[in-house]
Amino acid sequence: MSRISLLAGCALGIVLALPAAAQDLQTPIVPPPPPAAAPPASDEQVKFSANALEYDTNTDVVTATGDVRMFRSDGRLRADKVVWNRKTGKVVATGDVAIVGEEGDTAYGDSIELTDSLKDGMVDNMLVVLNQGGRLAAVRGTREPNGVIELEQAAYTPCSVTNAQGCPKEPSWKITAVRVVYRPSRERIYYQGAQLHLFGLPSIPLPQFSNPVGGGSDSGLLSPNIQYSRVNGVEVALPYYFRLAPNRGLTLTPHVYSSVLPMADVEYQQLSETGAFRLRGYATESRRSDDLNTIDPTDTSMAFRGYLDGVARYQFTPEWSLSGSLRVTTDRTFLRRYDISRDDRLRNTASLQRIDTNSYFAVTGWAVQTLRVNDRQGLQPIALPEIDYRRRFADGFAGGNVELQLNSLALTRTAGQDTQRAFASLRWDLRRLTNWGQELTFTAFARGDAYNANDVLATTQIAYRGTEGFQTRAIGAVAVDMRWPFVGSIGAGTQRVTPRFQIVAAPRIKNFAIPNEDSRAVDLDDSNLFALNRFPGYDRFEDSTRATYGAEYGLSLPGFSLDAVVGQSYRLSARPSILPDGTGLSDRWSDIVGRTELRFRDFVSIVHRYRLDKDDLTVRRNEVDATVGSRSTYALVGYLKLNRNITSVEDLRDREEVRVAGRVQFARFWSAFGSAIVDLTNRDEDPLGVADGFSPIRHRLGIEYQDDCLRLGATWRRDYRQIGDARQGNNFLLTLAFTNLGR
């Protein structure tokens, strides 16, 4: 763009940006003076400079002209001309006036009449640029010695008043008022006879109104929330925040619906020197269905419904901390019906921890509330408590690292199996590099377990029960792991090929007599291919001698990287495996697993995980997560297919789904977005499922405007699945948020 066209564009922008009233929010060209290199020694002393200076000895009046600069205490002033009456202390500044107070706010005006303290006075055509952000403009303003500014016929905005080229523009929103008072000590602006202007158009009258400035918080209304759902009708939520103290706050949010009774929403937050906590609660009364499978709910009795959600964390010393979370609801569909959460399980935890360089100690308890269809609450475990202690000895046996672990756990169910567990383990690792560049790791592991199980018949899966009563178990394993990296240059980058080979030996271990509480969802993938035990958790241990081989590949070029790993294992012992069918580990030869990760700058990221059948290379697991685009415009695609070809184990059901999401910025501040989840599982893949091969779960579409001080959007969401009184249907959400007005 040429200089002439740029100036012409700015001139046109100035014409279009002229406000209806006399308030001008644009910053004058002349900047305020910088702080004095040598500030005055006292509040009474005034330092100044000017191009010309006249002094009338009869009237004791000093007249300074030409880029006049005055400095006193924390105040400083710049003007074309300053007339200072030393007898009265009156100072009159004219011509491109800019004055900075001790609070850091900058006031501009055509003429300013103030005292020689530079702290108070009267300004014509005043503009105040606040140190915390935002600006105030007025026909006339008065500045008090305590920093309070009173304005007549004023306007306020926190928005930018120039575009990307630096030309003037109308702010996204502003507030005009007959009278405005700004109190720096409270960091708040008070209005009388105010009106909100959105995109230059007057919209909302605000007769008595106030708002905070800067990053602080204060009592007042927050941004409203408006949406529509098929079940509840139109919803209007208007939060009000009470600032109880600098470290404590309370938010009350009434939710008013057109089709059901209102709901109360209360949130309390507190911060201290050692930590913080937050507690939020919802409460209402509405009709609900306890039969989660029916399309037309049969139980429509009125009932109290609510939800508690809390989180806390305290750090007492660098080592000791306490944390916890609380999530509990009155029924299984409340969170979905009122669009609070889509979680299918609520977990409550509390944990006391001590962590230092070489040790870890934790006492943890948790309880789970299920929201799943057909899940019995009495079968959900309650852990009171789990005690875990680990210590690492860097200078261990034969130069290796030794880790000691002590663990105990008590699981209780109100209508199911109870299990108590305790174990002690030692692990020794020695890492060495050979002269040929091979990395060798030697591992020895030993563990002793003690278990007690009650009411094992309440567990439907026989493989998970264990034997009733008290059981003991000894575990041992040794392993050798060899990695041999080869690194070389390729073009402007480098590539790396790392063959890897591992042997793990373990004797026959008593497994099925032990209850299986934490090792159920086992599946072979790249993360556990070379693990000492491919089972998650502690209740099952892979008792076989096996060899695992694979390779890692890495390619690094300017702006591009490719990382891949692939491998397979072979069980040397002929005894039957304790790993069930469908895991990829049930036969002597395992399935082939791998992961490929490709990245191109910050624009493309693709991660592919797979598992191939060892016999015919059928894809048993196919998972892709891809992201393409920038922060403003992008597309995300996720695809998962589990084809285990089994129906006997509840934790290994087949599944196929696709997830898509995206965002397109079609203008500087405008964007459209959307997301969807589709269940592609059919009856052949999961006979127990309800999907038909293409069953949408939910989708979301929306449009949004967002600039430096305003967010405006509309979203359409549709749920396709019915769960009790959380019925399928459309939901519409309107979003309107202003900087410094609410959240």
Side-chain angles (χ1 to χ4, degrees):
M1 181 182 291
S2 67
R3 178 181 176 86
I4 295 177
S5 60
L6 178 61
L7 292 175
C10 287
L12 179 61
I14 292 174
V15 174
L16 296 177
L18 288 175
Q23 309 95 346
D24 186 2
L25 292 164
Q26 300 296 323
T27 304
I29 299 176
V30 178
S42 67
D43 292 344
E44 300 298 325
Q45 184 180 0
V46 177
K47 298 183 63 176
F48 68 91
S49 64
N51 294 337
L53 185 66
E54 297 179 3
Y55 177 60
D56 189 334
T57 58
N58 296 325
T59 59
D60 202 11
V61 173
V62 178
T63 302
T65 57
D67 192 20
V68 184
R69 302 188 181 193
M70 299 181 64
F71 303 90
R72 181 167 186 174
S73 184
D74 291 331
R76 56 188 190 273
L77 177 145
R78 187 271 167 206
D80 291 340
K81 179 181 179 181
V82 173
V83 178
W84 178 18
N85 190 320
R86 297 185 60 187
K87 291 182 178 180
T88 62
K90 180 180 177 181
V91 177
V92 178
T94 56
D96 289 331
V97 182
I99 182 170
V100 181
E102 58 182 336
E103 298 86 8
D105 304 327
T106 303
Y108 299 90
D110 294 337
S111 65
I112 295 181
E113 181 179 321
L114 67 162
T115 62
D116 55 10
S117 66
L118 306 185
K119 294 182 178 181
D120 58 318
M122 185 174 295
V123 185
D124 291 328
N125 194 18
M126 185 178 191
L127 170 68
V128 181
V129 179
L130 304 178
N131 190 41
Q132 300 93 332
R135 53 189 60 211
L136 287 158
V139 175
R140 180 180 295 272
T142 303
R143 194 167 184 268
E144 303 295 337
N146 58 2
V148 174
I149 299 176
E150 296 186 5
L151 306 172
E152 301 175 7
Q153 299 297 325
Y156 164 77
T157 184
C159 307
S160 174
V161 295
T162 58
N163 58 21
Q165 290 75 35
C167 299
K169 75 176 184 69
E170 181 71 16
S172 302
W173 67 269
K174 66 179 180 180
I175 297 175
T176 60
V178 176
R179 184 173 181 270
V180 174
V181 177
Y182 168 52
R183 300 185 183 276
S185 60
R186 300 183 183 179
E187 294 188 347
R188 199 167 187 87
I189 302 174
Y190 300 85
Y191 306 88
Q192 291 183 3
Q195 191 173 39
L196 176 66
H197 297 251
L198 188 61
F199 297 114
L201 301 175
S203 55
I204 304 175
L206 305 167
Q208 292 285 339
F209 182 70
S210 68
N211 69 272
V213 297
S217 62
D218 205 347
S219 299
L221 292 171
L222 305 181
S223 299
N225 180 56
I226 303 174
Q227 60 181 332
Y228 169 82
S229 68
R230 176 189 172 190
V231 180
N232 303 321
V234 178
E235 174 190 356
V236 178
L238 188 59
Y240 191 93
Y241 176 75
F242 293 90
R243 185 178 184 267
L244 306 179
N247 65 325
R248 292 185 290 120
L250 179 69
T251 305
L252 301 181
T253 308
H255 298 256
V256 181
Y257 305 91
S258 62
S259 301
V260 295
L261 293 176
M263 179 173 66
D265 176 2
V266 182
E267 182 179 21
Y268 178 80
Q269 296 178 329
Q270 181 171 318
L271 174 68
S272 66
E273 294 181 355
T274 56
F277 79 91
R278 174 190 59 82
L279 182 64
R280 189 171 188 177
Y282 300 81
T284 188
E285 187 179 39
S286 64
R287 299 184 182 276
R288 82 178 196 200
S289 172
D290 294 326
D291 185 354
L292 301 181
N293 291 319
T294 183
I295 297 178
D296 297 319
T298 56
D299 179 7
T300 58
S301 60
M302 297 292 289
F304 171 79
R305 310 181 73 180
Y307 171 59
L308 280 178
D309 181 0
V311 62
R313 180 172 179 83
Y314 290 88
Q315 191 76 37
F316 304 113
T317 68
E319 295 81 20
W320 285 97
S321 65
L322 176 67
S323 61
S325 64
L326 170 69
R327 301 188 69 192
V328 59
T329 184
T330 54
D331 57 86
R332 301 195 183 199
T333 59
F334 175 77
L335 298 182
R336 285 178 176 268
R337 171 169 178 170
Y338 289 94
D339 198 25
I340 298 172
S341 171
R342 297 191 171 274
D343 293 338
D344 58 3
R345 290 177 179 174
L346 302 181
R347 190 178 185 187
N348 301 272
T349 64
S351 180
L352 176 66
Q353 295 183 338
R354 186 189 187 280
I355 304 174
D356 61 23
T357 305
N358 293 307
S359 69
Y360 169 83
F361 171 75
V363 179
T364 306
W366 70 84
V368 176
Q369 180 182 8
T370 182
L371 306 182
R372 293 185 174 187
V373 176
N374 297 327
D375 265 10
R376 293 177 57 192
Q377 181 60 41
L379 298 181
Q380 303 306 310
I382 302 172
L384 290 173
E386 180 189 38
I387 303 175
D388 192 31
Y389 174 75
R390 307 179 194 188
R391 184 161 189 85
R392 181 177 58 194
F393 304 92
D395 298 326
F397 175 74
N401 295 323
V402 176
E403 181 177 315
L404 167 69
Q405 182 178 7
L406 305 174
N407 182 280
S408 70
L409 172 66
L411 292 180
T412 302
R413 295 176 174 87
T414 58
Q417 178 176 330
D418 298 336
T419 302
Q420 297 85 43
R421 177 192 74 201
F423 70 78
S425 68
L426 278 175
R427 175 168 175 155
W428 172 79
D429 291 289
L430 176 64
R431 178 178 175 270
R432 289 290 183 266
L433 296 176
T434 68
N435 294 333
W436 289 355
Q438 298 162 329
E439 179 186 352
L440 295 176
T441 303
F442 301 91
T443 301
F445 179 77
R447 198 177 89 193
D449 300 343
Y451 279 80
N452 183 57
N454 300 312
D455 299 325
V456 296
L457 295 179
T459 300
T460 56
Q461 284 290 335
I462 299 176
Y464 298 157
R465 291 176 178 174
T467 302
E468 184 88 12
F470 185 77
Q471 301 289 328
T472 60
R473 178 176 62 176
I475 297 175
V478 293
V480 178
D481 193 322
M482 187 275 290
R483 300 175 74 252
W484 197 351
F486 296 89
V487 182
S489 61
I490 177 172
T494 59
Q495 64 177 336
R496 180 186 70 258
V497 179
T498 308
R500 186 173 180 180
F501 181 76
Q502 180 195 62
I503 294 180
V504 179
R508 182 184 292 272
I509 297 169
K510 183 166 60 173
N511 272 299
F512 290 110
I514 302 299
N516 185 358
E517 298 281 6
D518 63 5
S519 302
R520 299 184 179 185
V522 58
D523 199 5
L524 178 65
D525 59 26
D526 61 282
S527 65
N528 63 2
L529 176 64
F530 290 93
L532 195 64
N533 178 29
R534 263 85 74 96
F535 281 100
Y538 302 107
D539 293 338
R540 290 288 182 268
F541 196 91
E542 194 173 356
D543 57 348
S544 63
T545 300
R546 66 182 185 272
T548 305
Y549 66 95
E552 301 172 2
Y553 177 78
L555 174 64
S556 179
L557 298 171
F560 176 86
S561 66
L562 174 65
D563 293 283
V565 59
V566 64
Q568 185 183 29
S569 66
Y570 175 73
R571 192 170 65 252
L572 302 177
S573 56
R575 63 176 180 267
S577 172
I578 64 171
L579 290 143
D581 294 337
T583 62
L585 292 164
S586 56
D587 295 334
R588 296 186 68 177
W589 285 100
S590 77
D591 287 348
I592 302 169
V593 296
R595 185 194 80 251
T596 303
E597 183 173 353
L598 182 149
R599 294 185 181 275
F600 176 70
R601 301 189 186 278
D602 292 330
F603 189 76
V604 176
S605 173
I606 301 175
V607 180
H608 180 217
R609 299 178 179 87
Y610 58 90
R611 176 157 64 89
L612 306 178
D613 192 287
K614 63 186 181 307
D615 296 323
D616 55 9
L617 299 182
T618 299
V619 179
R620 296 300 179 192
R621 179 190 183 99
N622 191 13
E623 184 177 3
V624 179
D625 289 291
T627 303
V628 179
S630 61
R631 292 185 177 182
S632 57
T633 299
Y634 58 84
L636 292 85
V637 178
Y639 173 77
L640 171 65
K641 182 172 183 178
L642 301 177
N643 178 24
R644 299 185 177 95
N645 196 29
I646 58 170
T647 59
S648 57
V649 181
E650 61 177 5
D651 296 296
L652 299 178
R653 293 167 61 179
D654 290 342
R655 183 170 182 81
E656 185 176 7
E657 73 173 28
V658 63
R659 307 175 307 278
V660 295
R663 184 183 187 93
V664 177
Q665 184 173 351
F666 57 87
R668 184 182 179 189
F669 300 119
W670 288 95
S671 61
F673 57 88
S675 63
I677 301 177
V678 180
D679 190 349
L680 303 178
T681 311
N682 56 43
R683 293 296 178 87
D684 294 335
E685 294 172 318
D686 185 5
L688 302 178
V690 296
D692 59 1
F694 189 89
S695 299
I697 298 176
R698 60 181 175 272
H699 79 247
R700 182 176 65 119
L701 293 173
I703 188 170
E704 184 179 64
Y705 173 92
Q706 184 171 4
D707 60 18
D708 60 311
C709 67
L710 175 67
R711 182 163 56 90
L712 173 66
T715 303
W716 167 43
R717 191 186 71 244
R718 179 175 178 84
D719 294 312
Y720 292 87
R721 294 195 172 179
Q722 170 99 11
I723 302 179
D725 61 348
R727 287 176 280 175
Q728 60 185 9
N730 297 316
N731 293 269
F732 300 93
L733 172 65
L734 298 178
T735 303
L736 180 60
F738 302 90
T739 298
N740 289 348
L741 299 184
R743 290 194 177 118

